[in-house]
Amino acid sequence: MNEKFADLGAPRRIWAVAAVNGDIERLETLHDYLATRFGLRDRIVYLGNYLGVDSPYNADVFDELLAFRAALLAKPGIEPCDIVHLRGPAEEAWLRLLRLQFAPIASQTLEKLMASGVEAYLRLYGVSLNDTRSMARAGSIAITRWTNQLRALQRYVPGHESMFCSMRRAAFAQVKSTARKLLFVPAGFDCARSLEDQAEALWWTTASFHVSGRAQSNYSRIVRGFDSVNNGISLDEEAVTLDGGCGRGGPLACGSFAPDGRLLEIVTVGGPGIFESTPYNEPANDEFLPAAKAAANAPVWEHGIAGVA
């Protein structure tokens, strides 16, 4: 796994989790289900935007993500690289806030970051919004001292800094027999650019989400987890949107994909204890399947507690 992109290889299947936006109940319900399904040669990719600006449960969401990761790693054969967290628009905004002293006009940059959800992270670490706006009008030296304080606040909470350091811009899987990849992105993709040249298009774009041109020959499907205009889940064609509006009144969605891009299952969680799973194409049986099922059924998860039975 490199610094920017996670190479998922050619797993049995990939579970892609849409934007959570601070909805702890839906995330817990989804994790309860995935704990019985995730096994050897599976991957899970969280597509970003974990916190919600108005959610009172943001700290719980981070704790849940960290605890579930630990629970999966307690299963035999599961490796750290099997679990990937992407930076959504809100996470990218937080990282850019930590470098605010380098912005040409700090106050203008801050307003853009606020529109992308960085307020959720300010609230998570107990930082005043008014103080933040006042600091953005200060000089670069004062802003540098302040951003160093923000880094210290994040470092103080166990697991937060390491998770942020592990977050990637995008993830991809590829079957050896084809040149086309299955790509997972936070919020957008510019089909006129290569993956390495996407820049801000992965998080902020005015273009419609679709797959065309050179991207059609490079990717079997592109899956995103957040839609800024909240148009709902879309499973059509090569461009897939999993954002059902979680944290904004809608369900939390999770798609299971084969590395060639086939949708195997779609799970939607509409509330505490309420979910719907719709199977599509089952993955082909192989020599790993019995062991994968055994690992998936290992009882190692109970809401935030990792252990081995």
Side-chain angles (χ1 to χ4, degrees):
M1 193 183 301
N2 66 29
E3 183 180 353
K4 294 182 179 180
F5 310 113
D7 184 347
L8 305 174
R12 187 167 67 103
R13 59 189 172 188
I14 305 109
W15 300 93
V17 181
V20 178
N21 290 317
D23 197 321
I24 184 62
E25 291 181 335
R26 283 166 168 77
L27 180 62
E28 287 178 343
T29 302
L30 177 63
H31 279 170
D32 286 344
Y33 178 73
L34 292 180
T36 68
R37 300 279 283 148
F38 192 92
L40 288 178
R41 294 188 65 225
D42 280 7
R43 310 284 190 269
I44 184 169
V45 180
Y46 295 88
L47 300 174
N49 268 35
Y50 309 104
L51 308 188
V53 171
D54 297 319
S55 173
Y57 305 111
N58 286 331
D60 296 329
V61 168
F62 250 97
D63 289 344
E64 175 77 9
L65 291 170
L66 291 168
F68 190 64
R69 181 180 185 275
L72 291 183
L73 290 175
K75 291 190 172 189
I78 305 301
E79 301 292 337
C81 60
D82 296 336
I83 307 162
V84 176
H85 297 86
L86 300 188
R87 295 201 308 264
E91 288 72 46
E92 180 66 15
W94 171 250
L95 290 185
R96 296 192 181 205
L97 182 65
L98 297 180
R99 301 191 296 267
L100 188 64
Q101 63 267 29
F102 302 112
I105 305 177
S107 59
Q108 292 183 6
T109 298
L110 175 61
E111 294 308 315
K112 177 180 178 180
L113 302 181
M114 292 293 295
S116 298
V118 79
E119 184 179 350
Y121 283 91
L122 292 170
R123 292 186 177 185
L124 176 65
Y125 298 119
V127 180
S128 164
L129 180 58
N130 289 334
D131 290 348
T132 299
R133 284 200 164 100
S134 297
M135 187 57 63
R137 296 190 292 269
S140 60
I141 295 178
I143 296 177
T144 299
R145 293 195 187 100
W146 179 73
T147 55
N148 286 337
Q149 292 173 1
L150 295 184
R151 293 176 188 275
L153 289 172
Q154 183 184 61
R155 192 177 303 117
Y156 179 76
V157 185
H160 283 212
E161 185 178 47
S162 59
M163 175 177 281
F164 265 93
C165 291
S166 71
M167 288 181 184
R168 299 296 180 257
R169 299 182 182 185
F172 62 86
Q174 184 174 17
V175 177
K176 291 182 179 179
S177 59
T178 178
R180 302 174 77 197
K181 299 176 181 178
L182 170 62
L183 180 65
F184 298 92
V185 299
F189 189 83
D190 185 347
C191 292
R193 304 179 186 178
S194 68
L195 178 59
E196 293 75 13
D197 296 330
Q198 286 298 304
E200 294 187 352
L202 293 173
W203 304 286
W204 304 297
T205 179
T206 58
S208 59
F209 185 63
H210 64 280
V211 181
S212 63
R214 182 175 59 178
Q216 285 183 311
S217 61
N218 291 336
Y219 303 105
S220 58
R221 257 181 170 162
I222 300 178
V223 181
R224 69 171 176 174
F226 176 70
D227 178 10
S228 61
V229 296
N230 203 20
N231 279 331
I233 299 170
S234 175
L235 307 177
D236 298 332
E237 306 302 333
E238 293 92 352
V240 173
T241 297
L242 292 178
D243 186 2
C246 184
R248 295 163 288 175
L252 173 60
C254 173
S256 174
F257 296 86
D260 62 5
R262 288 178 297 125
L263 178 62
L264 306 175
E265 181 181 354
I266 184 73
V267 181
T268 54
V269 182
I274 302 172
F275 75 89
E276 179 178 355
S277 171
T278 303
Y280 281 75
N281 299 304
E282 285 296 326
N285 289 331
D286 57 28
E287 69 273 19
F288 291 95
L289 194 54
K293 287 184 175 180
N297 292 327
V300 299
W301 173 246
E302 181 183 354
H303 286 315
I305 301 175
V308 179

